[in-house]
PDB file of all heavy atoms in Angstrom:
ATOM      1  N   HIS A  19      98.347  90.062 112.918  1.00 78.00           N
ATOM      2  CA  HIS A  19      98.762  90.825 111.829  1.00 78.00           C
ATOM      3  C   HIS A  19      99.146  92.160 112.368  1.00 78.00           C
ATOM      4  O   HIS A  19      98.411  92.880 113.078  1.00 78.00           O
ATOM      5  CB  HIS A  19      97.633  91.076 110.776  1.00 78.00           C
ATOM      6  CG  HIS A  19      97.932  91.938 109.641  1.00 78.00           C
ATOM      7  ND1 HIS A  19      98.555  91.375 108.589  1.00 78.00           N
ATOM      8  CD2 HIS A  19      97.934  93.228 109.419  1.00 78.00           C
ATOM      9  CE1 HIS A  19      98.775  92.316 107.699  1.00 78.00           C
ATOM     10  NE2 HIS A  19      98.476  93.481 108.224  1.00 78.00           N
ATOM     11  N   SER A  21      99.848  95.907 111.831  1.00 94.00           N
ATOM     12  CA  SER A  21      99.570  96.916 110.747  1.00 94.00           C
ATOM     13  C   SER A  21     100.787  97.750 110.318  1.00 94.00           C
ATOM     14  O   SER A  21     101.649  97.920 111.120  1.00 94.00           O
ATOM     15  CB  SER A  21      98.592  97.988 111.444  1.00 94.00           C
ATOM     16  OG  SER A  21      97.495  97.325 111.802  1.00 94.00           O
ATOM     17  N   GLY A  42      88.846  99.840 103.522  1.00 98.00           N
ATOM     18  CA  GLY A  42      88.474  98.873 102.543  1.00 98.00           C
ATOM     19  C   GLY A  42      89.079  97.502 102.668  1.00 98.00           C
ATOM     20  O   GLY A  42      88.704  96.516 102.013  1.00 98.00           O
ATOM     21  N   THR A  43      90.058  97.424 103.550  1.00 97.00           N
ATOM     22  CA  THR A  43      90.793  96.166 103.799  1.00 97.00           C
ATOM     23  C   THR A  43      91.001  95.985 105.259  1.00 97.00           C
ATOM     24  O   THR A  43      92.048  96.151 105.836  1.00 97.00           O
ATOM     25  CB  THR A  43      92.208  96.212 103.129  1.00 97.00           C
ATOM     26  OG1 THR A  43      92.850  97.476 103.451  1.00 97.00           O
ATOM     27  CG2 THR A  43      92.062  96.101 101.639  1.00 97.00           C
ATOM     28  N   LEU A  44      89.886  95.609 105.907  1.00 97.00           N
ATOM     29  CA  LEU A  44      89.823  95.531 107.355  1.00 97.00           C
ATOM     30  C   LEU A  44      90.853  94.701 107.990  1.00 97.00           C
ATOM     31  O   LEU A  44      91.470  95.078 109.008  1.00 97.00           O
ATOM     32  CB  LEU A  44      88.334  95.076 107.664  1.00 97.00           C
ATOM     33  CG  LEU A  44      87.780  95.189 109.112  1.00 97.00           C
ATOM     34  CD1 LEU A  44      87.808  96.584 109.571  1.00 97.00           C
ATOM     35  CD2 LEU A  44      86.336  94.736 109.035  1.00 97.00           C
ATOM     36  N   GLY A  45      91.071  93.526 107.423  1.00 94.00           N
ATOM     37  CA  GLY A  45      92.078  92.550 108.000  1.00 94.00           C
ATOM     38  C   GLY A  45      91.841  92.365 109.480  1.00 94.00           C
ATOM     39  O   GLY A  45      90.736  92.035 109.924  1.00 94.00           O
ATOM     40  N   GLY A  46      92.891  92.530 110.285  1.00 91.00           N
ATOM     41  CA  GLY A  46      92.801  92.269 111.696  1.00 91.00           C
ATOM     42  C   GLY A  46      92.245  93.614 112.465  1.00 91.00           C
ATOM     43  O   GLY A  46      92.143  93.585 113.663  1.00 91.00           O
ATOM     44  N   GLY A  47      91.925  94.684 111.710  1.00 95.00           N
ATOM     45  CA  GLY A  47      91.307  95.742 112.324  1.00 95.00           C
ATOM     46  C   GLY A  47      92.262  96.714 112.943  1.00 95.00           C
ATOM     47  O   GLY A  47      91.918  97.645 113.652  1.00 95.00           O
ATOM     48  N   GLY A  48      93.542  96.612 112.633  1.00 95.00           N
ATOM     49  CA  GLY A  48      94.554  97.389 113.238  1.00 95.00           C
ATOM     50  C   GLY A  48      94.479  98.849 112.914  1.00 95.00           C
ATOM     51  O   GLY A  48      94.383  99.786 113.702  1.00 95.00           O
ATOM     52  N   HIS A  49      94.370  99.192 111.602  1.00 97.00           N
ATOM     53  CA  HIS A  49      94.102 100.583 111.184  1.00 97.00           C
ATOM     54  C   HIS A  49      92.771 101.066 111.639  1.00 97.00           C
ATOM     55  O   HIS A  49      92.653 102.191 112.052  1.00 97.00           O
ATOM     56  CB  HIS A  49      94.220 100.739 109.632  1.00 97.00           C
ATOM     57  CG  HIS A  49      95.623 100.619 109.124  1.00 97.00           C
ATOM     58  ND1 HIS A  49      96.116  99.327 108.596  1.00 97.00           N
ATOM     59  CD2 HIS A  49      96.658 101.516 109.009  1.00 97.00           C
ATOM     60  CE1 HIS A  49      97.361  99.561 108.213  1.00 97.00           C
ATOM     61  NE2 HIS A  49      97.745 100.817 108.449  1.00 97.00           N
ATOM     62  N   ASP A  67      85.871  93.855 104.092  1.00 97.00           N
ATOM     63  CA  ASP A  67      86.886  92.839 103.792  1.00 97.00           C
ATOM     64  C   ASP A  67      86.092  91.733 103.088  1.00 97.00           C
ATOM     65  O   ASP A  67      84.969  91.405 103.330  1.00 97.00           O
ATOM     66  CB  ASP A  67      87.522  92.263 105.065  1.00 97.00           C
ATOM     67  CG  ASP A  67      88.875  91.671 104.691  1.00 97.00           C
ATOM     68  OD1 ASP A  67      88.922  90.684 103.981  1.00 97.00           O
ATOM     69  OD2 ASP A  67      89.963  92.274 105.135  1.00 97.00           O
ATOM     70  N   GLN A  68      86.799  91.158 102.141  1.00 97.00           N
ATOM     71  CA  GLN A  68      86.160  90.080 101.324  1.00 97.00           C
ATOM     72  C   GLN A  68      86.373  88.666 101.992  1.00 97.00           C
ATOM     73  O   GLN A  68      85.865  87.712 101.515  1.00 97.00           O
ATOM     74  CB  GLN A  68      86.733  90.001  99.948  1.00 97.00           C
ATOM     75  CG  GLN A  68      88.168  89.818  99.806  1.00 97.00           C
ATOM     76  CD  GLN A  68      88.670  89.740  98.284  1.00 97.00           C
ATOM     77  OE1 GLN A  68      87.830  89.204  97.458  1.00 97.00           O
ATOM     78  NE2 GLN A  68      89.834  90.162  97.960  1.00 97.00           N
ATOM     79  N   ASP A  69      87.089  88.663 103.149  1.00 95.00           N
ATOM     80  CA  ASP A  69      87.434  87.442 103.833  1.00 95.00           C
ATOM     81  C   ASP A  69      86.555  87.419 105.107  1.00 95.00           C
ATOM     82  O   ASP A  69      86.705  88.283 105.949  1.00 95.00           O
ATOM     83  CB  ASP A  69      88.896  87.540 104.189  1.00 95.00           C
ATOM     84  CG  ASP A  69      89.348  86.143 104.857  1.00 95.00           C
ATOM     85  OD1 ASP A  69      88.513  85.378 105.247  1.00 95.00           O
ATOM     86  OD2 ASP A  69      90.574  85.956 104.936  1.00 95.00           O
ATOM     87  N   ASP A  92      82.484  92.171 101.605  1.00 97.00           N
ATOM     88  CA  ASP A  92      82.374  92.367 100.233  1.00 97.00           C
ATOM     89  C   ASP A  92      83.752  92.747  99.608  1.00 97.00           C
ATOM     90  O   ASP A  92      84.700  92.969 100.444  1.00 97.00           O
ATOM     91  CB  ASP A  92      81.480  93.573  99.925  1.00 97.00           C
ATOM     92  CG  ASP A  92      80.781  93.520  98.516  1.00 97.00           C
ATOM     93  OD1 ASP A  92      81.407  92.841  97.686  1.00 97.00           O
ATOM     94  OD2 ASP A  92      79.813  94.158  98.411  1.00 97.00           O
ATOM     95  N   ASN A  93      83.899  92.781  98.288  1.00 97.00           N
ATOM     96  CA  ASN A  93      85.073  93.256  97.683  1.00 97.00           C
ATOM     97  C   ASN A  93      85.074  94.804  97.643  1.00 97.00           C
ATOM     98  O   ASN A  93      84.048  95.370  97.236  1.00 97.00           O
ATOM     99  CB  ASN A  93      85.064  92.731  96.269  1.00 97.00           C
ATOM    100  CG  ASN A  93      86.510  92.896  95.684  1.00 97.00           C
ATOM    101  OD1 ASN A  93      87.033  93.941  95.600  1.00 97.00           O
ATOM    102  ND2 ASN A  93      87.117  91.736  95.168  1.00 97.00           N
ATOM    103  N   PHE A  94      86.121  95.498  97.936  1.00 98.00           N
ATOM    104  CA  PHE A  94      86.041  96.959  97.872  1.00 98.00           C
ATOM    105  C   PHE A  94      85.719  97.573  96.475  1.00 98.00           C
ATOM    106  O   PHE A  94      85.503  98.711  96.321  1.00 98.00           O
ATOM    107  CB  PHE A  94      87.322  97.564  98.551  1.00 98.00           C
ATOM    108  CG  PHE A  94      88.690  97.270  97.946  1.00 98.00           C
ATOM    109  CD1 PHE A  94      88.979  97.475  96.614  1.00 98.00           C
ATOM    110  CD2 PHE A  94      89.727  96.722  98.700  1.00 98.00           C
ATOM    111  CE1 PHE A  94      90.200  97.181  96.028  1.00 98.00           C
ATOM    112  CE2 PHE A  94      90.954  96.407  98.173  1.00 98.00           C
ATOM    113  CZ  PHE A  94      91.205  96.661  96.942  1.00 98.00           C
ATOM    114  N   ASP A 115      94.782  98.916 102.225  1.00 97.00           N
ATOM    115  CA  ASP A 115      96.055  98.277 102.579  1.00 97.00           C
ATOM    116  C   ASP A 115      96.046  96.955 101.958  1.00 97.00           C
ATOM    117  O   ASP A 115      95.672  95.922 102.538  1.00 97.00           O
ATOM    118  CB  ASP A 115      96.058  98.253 104.103  1.00 97.00           C
ATOM    119  CG  ASP A 115      97.232  97.443 104.699  1.00 97.00           C
ATOM    120  OD1 ASP A 115      98.237  97.187 103.984  1.00 97.00           O
ATOM    121  OD2 ASP A 115      97.149  97.063 105.873  1.00 97.00           O
ATOM    122  N   GLY A 117      96.657  93.430  99.664  1.00 83.00           N
ATOM    123  CA  GLY A 117      97.442  92.261  99.793  1.00 83.00           C
ATOM    124  C   GLY A 117      96.930  91.338 100.862  1.00 83.00           C
ATOM    125  O   GLY A 117      95.782  91.464 101.357  1.00 83.00           O
ATOM    126  N   VAL A 118      97.665  90.268 101.106  1.00 89.00           N
ATOM    127  CA  VAL A 118      97.261  89.360 102.086  1.00 89.00           C
ATOM    128  C   VAL A 118      97.613  89.706 103.489  1.00 89.00           C
ATOM    129  O   VAL A 118      98.682  90.460 103.657  1.00 89.00           O
ATOM    130  CB  VAL A 118      97.848  87.870 101.884  1.00 89.00           C
ATOM    131  CG1 VAL A 118      97.029  87.062 100.950  1.00 89.00           C
ATOM    132  CG2 VAL A 118      99.288  88.017 101.425  1.00 89.00           C
ATOM    133  N   GLN A 122      96.205  85.345 106.925  1.00 90.00           N
ATOM    134  CA  GLN A 122      95.902  84.525 105.746  1.00 90.00           C
ATOM    135  C   GLN A 122      97.071  83.643 105.398  1.00 90.00           C
ATOM    136  O   GLN A 122      96.975  82.438 104.972  1.00 90.00           O
ATOM    137  CB  GLN A 122      95.441  85.343 104.602  1.00 90.00           C
ATOM    138  CG  GLN A 122      94.098  85.975 104.732  1.00 90.00           C
ATOM    139  CD  GLN A 122      93.766  87.095 103.781  1.00 90.00           C
ATOM    140  OE1 GLN A 122      94.633  87.840 103.319  1.00 90.00           O
ATOM    141  NE2 GLN A 122      92.484  87.282 103.502  1.00 90.00           N
ATOM    142  N   MET A 142      90.916  84.882  98.537  1.00 96.00           N
ATOM    143  CA  MET A 142      90.732  85.686  99.796  1.00 96.00           C
ATOM    144  C   MET A 142      89.261  85.581 100.207  1.00 96.00           C
ATOM    145  O   MET A 142      88.892  85.687 101.325  1.00 96.00           O
ATOM    146  CB  MET A 142      91.004  87.179  99.540  1.00 96.00           C
ATOM    147  CG  MET A 142      92.593  87.377  99.404  1.00 96.00           C
ATOM    148  SD  MET A 142      92.889  89.106  99.460  1.00 96.00           S
ATOM    149  CE  MET A 142      94.549  89.160  98.722  1.00 96.00           C
ATOM    150  N   ILE A 234      91.259  95.316  89.651  1.00 95.00           N
ATOM    151  CA  ILE A 234      90.241  96.136  90.279  1.00 95.00           C
ATOM    152  C   ILE A 234      90.776  97.437  90.945  1.00 95.00           C
ATOM    153  O   ILE A 234      90.007  98.246  91.342  1.00 95.00           O
ATOM    154  CB  ILE A 234      89.562  95.293  91.370  1.00 95.00           C
ATOM    155  CG1 ILE A 234      90.523  94.818  92.484  1.00 95.00           C
ATOM    156  CG2 ILE A 234      88.778  94.105  90.808  1.00 95.00           C
ATOM    157  CD1 ILE A 234      89.765  93.970  93.530  1.00 95.00           C
TER     158      ILE A 234
HETATM  159  C1  LIG B  18      97.041  93.591 104.576  1.00 79.73           C
HETATM  160  S1  LIG B  18      95.553  93.046 105.163  1.00 79.73           S
HETATM  161  C2  LIG B  18      94.908  94.463 105.966  1.00 79.73           C
HETATM  162  C3  LIG B  18      95.364  94.613 107.403  1.00 79.73           C
HETATM  163  C4  LIG B  18      94.661  95.728 108.158  1.00 79.73           C
HETATM  164  N1  LIG B  18      94.986  97.087 107.541  1.00 79.73           N
HETATM  165  C5  LIG B  18      95.249  95.809 109.640  1.00 79.73           C
HETATM  166  O1  LIG B  18      95.732  96.731 110.020  1.00 79.73           O
HETATM  167  O2  LIG B  18      94.907  94.801 110.276  1.00 79.73           O
HETATM  168  C6  LIG B  18      94.617  92.993 103.737  1.00 79.73           C
HETATM  169  C7  LIG B  18      93.138  92.505 103.983  1.00 79.73           C
HETATM  170  O3  LIG B  18      92.484  93.117 102.837  1.00 79.73           O
HETATM  171  C8  LIG B  18      91.502  92.140 102.328  1.00 79.73           C
HETATM  172  N2  LIG B  18      91.365  92.377 100.911  1.00 79.73           N
HETATM  173  C9  LIG B  18      92.384  92.382  99.948  1.00 79.73           C
HETATM  174  N3  LIG B  18      91.850  92.726  98.782  1.00 79.73           N
HETATM  175  C10 LIG B  18      90.474  93.039  99.011  1.00 79.73           C
HETATM  176  C11 LIG B  18      89.394  93.532  98.252  1.00 79.73           C
HETATM  177  N4  LIG B  18      89.618  93.625  96.977  1.00 79.73           N
HETATM  178  N5  LIG B  18      88.332  93.664  98.757  1.00 79.73           N
HETATM  179  C12 LIG B  18      88.129  93.498 100.083  1.00 79.73           C
HETATM  180  N6  LIG B  18      89.041  93.039 100.925  1.00 79.73           N
HETATM  181  C13 LIG B  18      90.294  92.844 100.420  1.00 79.73           C
HETATM  182  C14 LIG B  18      92.228  90.768 102.652  1.00 79.73           C
HETATM  183  O4  LIG B  18      91.252  89.747 102.797  1.00 79.73           O
HETATM  184  C15 LIG B  18      93.012  91.068 103.942  1.00 79.73           C
HETATM  185  O5  LIG B  18      92.073  90.673 105.096  1.00 79.73           O
END
Side-chain angles (χ1 to χ4, degrees):
H19 179 87
S21 302
T43 49
L44 195 53
H49 287 98
D67 204 295
Q68 59 176 331
D69 182 344
D92 205 336
N93 194 306
F94 59 57
D115 170 17
V118 271
Q122 288 165 330
M142 287 191 199
I234 60 181

